[in-house]
Amino acid sequence: MTTAMNNVGRPTRLVAGTGAVAETFTGNKALMLEEPLLFERGSLDTSGVDLPPVPPVPDRLGGLGRDAVIGLPGFSEPEAVRHYTRLSRQNYAIDLGIFPLGSCTMKHNPRLNEKMARLPGFADIHPLQPQSTVQGALELIDVLADWLMKLTGMPAVAMSPKAGAHGELCGMVAIRAALDAKNDPRRVVLVPESAHGTNPATAAFCGFTVENIPANDRGRVDLDAMLARLGPDVAAVMITNPNTCGLFEPDLKRISDAVHAVGGYVYCDGANFNAIVGRVRPGDLGVDAMHINLHKTFSTPHGGGGPGSGPVVLSAALAPFAPIPFVRKTATGLELVEEDTAGTHANQSFGRMVAFHGQMGMFVRALSYMMSHGADGLRQVAEDAVLNANYILASLKDLYTAPFAASGPCMHEALFSDDFLDGTGLSTLDLAKALIDEGFHPMTVYFPLVVHGAMLVEPTETESKANLDQLIGAMRHVATQMLADPDAWRTGPHFAPRRRLDETLAARKPVLAFKDSEAA
């Protein structure tokens, strides 16, 4: 029997031997059956159901009817159900176990939120309906906006941005509009090394020049370098707090005051708001704009390319430049302020960011999460997230290199490096692949860039101590075995549905086209 692997790690079936029955490599592992593509399993000339002949009646397709077979293989119901169930078992999901991706907040999504988002008054409405028929939906947006402003201590919020980076764009465009309104030509944006990677890209997209500010040996912004660079050409500072090292920036208020003193603005990346919600109000720290990832902090579906939602809270200085539409209360109810109804209410708005009003389903889920937790529950969210991360840090720092463990407690995520593997020839990637064999999705690897061979672990607040102990046990076992016998750990994973792939080749030349066996 001969086997081979293509560049995405999928077993290639090669038949060996002679005679009536040839030996075939199945790719099956224990109870995990290798699942071929639909086109490899089914036939184009069969159907899973019996239908009566179509009566000869005239159609209304105007000559656009299909003149050839549809080209899809036919399956019975059990075959179709098994196919997609087997495919689902070859992936990992938050419903299977902990998803320790750092800086991503992949936590459990309460089913109550999903039920609320599917209520007809929210799920079945259309963005072009008359506003008088969607007053309940507009009220929900207004109540959610009020929660976000109270939680952040900010006087205004733009609800329409549809993702974190989209929210960044909203905040930076508002800053650009505020500068233009004053005929202020400054165009330099300072971005610390510990900020999220989208920050400099967003600033550059808005026409700003980006300059980096280094981190100090404690993983925070180098305050002296920041203060030394401030001047009349600095339009804004973009800072992530808590930062991507999983640490709180204790000097943010001092930085904000200094930036405001030279006429600039402060943008805070709020992707890690999960660590401080209910505990810290960014407005009290002098922040002028901050996006909030509803799909991270407030437990809505996350991953797979969407959906997302990134409302942006704004200071009084930037509120006049907020995008439209936004909800406004009137004597007769609620209305969306649009271009044709803006008048003096939004005469300085920089315009629209999206065609309609934002992500309604995400709004419903987020408000359901907030209301079911309450103010005290949201505070506990942050406390438990921080507690869990520090438990992981304390449980692993004797074995894994923890570059900032001496800098005090971490926030929502624990950061490690692969320095402890020096001399073994192994790296962070080998450890991540080994964790797959232990049944765990790996943590975020090689990010942030300020730490060599970074491993960023974010347990979130929804994991119990028992779950954390399982992950910690697996991480300690893998690290101990790698140090004892490095050669055994260079080719993992060995028990996953797919083996290790050539990551560079798979990223740049992926196998995306299906070819039947004869053509291949």
Side-chain angles (χ1 to χ4, degrees):
M1 181 175 69
T2 306
T3 64
M5 303 290 289
N6 64 17
N7 70 342
V8 294
R10 187 165 185 268
T12 301
R13 295 166 182 75
L14 301 179
V15 178
T18 60
V21 179
E23 185 179 344
T24 303
F25 173 67
T26 65
N28 296 338
K29 292 183 178 180
L31 298 178
M32 181 77 74
L33 298 183
E34 171 62 31
E35 186 65 11
L37 299 177
L38 283 173
F39 293 96
E40 295 175 304
R41 294 192 56 201
S43 170
L44 300 182
D45 57 1
T46 61
S47 173
V49 295
D50 293 325
L51 298 173
V54 179
V57 295
D59 64 56
R60 293 175 290 174
L61 299 178
L64 298 177
R66 183 183 296 276
D67 56 11
V69 296
I70 193 171
L72 292 176
F75 290 95
S76 66
E77 181 176 295
E79 290 175 318
V81 170
R82 286 172 179 168
H83 172 74
Y84 289 106
T85 301
R86 287 170 182 166
L87 286 182
S88 72
R89 294 181 67 205
Q90 297 191 31
N91 204 350
Y92 194 82
I94 195 66
D95 289 340
L96 295 175
I98 184 173
F99 229 127
L101 288 173
S103 209
C104 282
T105 320
M106 300 289 282
K107 61 189 181 183
H108 171 73
N109 304 307
R111 296 305 188 262
L112 172 65
N113 304 349
E114 299 301 313
K115 184 177 181 180
M116 295 300 100
R118 285 162 174 74
L119 291 174
F122 300 130
D124 296 342
I125 58 177
H126 192 280
L128 295 180
Q129 278 184 236
Q131 294 184 27
S132 61
T133 68
V134 290
Q135 287 293 295
L138 295 182
E139 182 181 359
L140 184 142
I141 297 174
D142 187 60
V143 172
L144 174 59
D146 185 63
W147 274 79
L148 294 175
M149 288 186 287
K150 284 184 170 64
L151 287 168
T152 58
M154 305 282 269
V157 61
M159 298 296 294
S160 59
K162 293 194 173 184
H166 203 211
E168 284 179 28
L169 180 64
C170 174
M172 294 307 292
V173 172
I175 289 173
R176 176 72 183 258
L179 293 171
D180 290 345
K182 298 184 291 187
N183 294 317
D184 192 331
R186 62 180 73 202
R187 289 292 182 265
V188 174
V189 172
L190 306 181
V191 181
E193 288 180 350
S194 57
H196 273 157
T198 51
N199 291 179
T202 300
F205 186 80
C206 293
F208 293 106
T209 299
V210 178
E211 295 185 17
N212 291 329
I213 300 296
N216 59 28
D217 57 4
R218 298 178 64 248
R220 275 89 169 183
V221 177
D222 187 322
L223 181 62
D224 292 336
M226 173 71 77
L227 298 179
R229 180 56 190 88
L230 291 178
D233 61 338
V234 173
V237 169
M238 297 185 77
I239 189 167
T240 303
N241 194 26
N243 65 30
T244 54
C245 296
L247 304 171
F248 190 78
E249 295 284 358
D251 294 319
L252 180 53
K253 182 62 169 67
R254 186 174 174 185
I255 291 172
S256 298
D257 291 343
V259 173
H260 293 154
V262 299
Y265 297 91
V266 177
Y267 184 92
C268 182
D269 186 309
N272 297 334
F273 191 49
N274 191 72
I276 60 174
V277 61
R279 296 278 304 184
V280 177
R281 299 195 311 173
D284 297 337
L285 302 178
V287 170
D288 290 297
M290 186 184 85
H291 78 268
I292 304 169
N293 298 60
L294 296 188
H295 51 287
K296 292 178 63 175
T297 300
F298 301 111
S299 184
T300 51
H302 183 178
S309 185
V312 179
V313 287
L314 300 166
S315 66
L318 293 182
F321 306 97
I324 51 177
F326 57 86
V327 176
R328 179 181 63 178
K329 293 180 180 179
T330 69
T332 57
L334 297 166
E335 69 174 11
L336 279 167
V337 175
E338 305 272 11
E339 288 94 332
D340 56 345
T341 58
T344 59
H345 298 288
N347 59 350
Q348 289 185 288
S349 170
F350 68 71
R352 303 186 74 90
M353 292 211 64
V354 296
F356 297 110
H357 325 123
Q359 295 278 29
M360 192 67 212
M362 306 299 275
F363 294 161
V364 178
R365 293 178 178 96
L367 186 61
S368 174
Y369 184 82
M370 292 175 178
M371 297 182 75
S372 60
H373 278 74
D376 57 337
L378 291 178
R379 181 186 180 97
Q380 186 178 348
V381 162
E383 293 171 347
D384 289 350
V386 172
L387 178 63
N388 283 354
N390 279 279
Y391 180 59
I392 286 181
L393 180 64
S395 301
L396 294 176
K397 66 181 181 180
D398 65 315
L399 183 56
Y400 285 69
T401 304
F404 302 122
S407 300
C410 63
M411 295 299 291
H412 57 304
E413 54 198 357
L415 178 60
F416 304 97
S417 80
D418 63 1
D419 287 353
F420 74 99
L421 293 173
D422 284 352
T424 65
L426 299 174
S427 67
T428 288
L429 184 64
D430 298 309
L431 194 146
K433 300 302 183 185
L435 274 179
I436 295 175
D437 277 341
E438 295 294 317
F440 290 97
H441 193 288
M443 69 293 284
T444 292
V445 296
Y446 299 113
F447 179 82
L449 300 179
V450 296
V451 171
H452 178 271
M455 291 174 274
L456 194 57
V457 184
E458 181 175 359
T460 82
E461 73 281 0
T462 60
E463 299 297 336
S464 67
K465 181 178 180 296
N467 291 343
L468 297 182
D469 285 338
Q470 278 190 316
L471 175 64
I472 291 166
M475 292 183 66
R476 293 190 66 87
H477 169 73
V478 166
T480 301
Q481 294 300 310
M482 292 176 81
L483 291 171
D485 185 12
D487 290 337
W489 300 88
R490 303 188 195 282
T491 57
H494 301 105
F495 308 117
R498 296 295 178 264
R499 297 293 300 276
R500 186 185 302 206
L501 45 75
D502 182 324
E503 303 213 355
T504 301
L505 189 62
R508 298 182 180 180
K509 295 182 179 180
V511 176
L512 298 175
F514 167 77
K515 294 181 179 180
D516 61 40
S517 56
E518 292 184 6

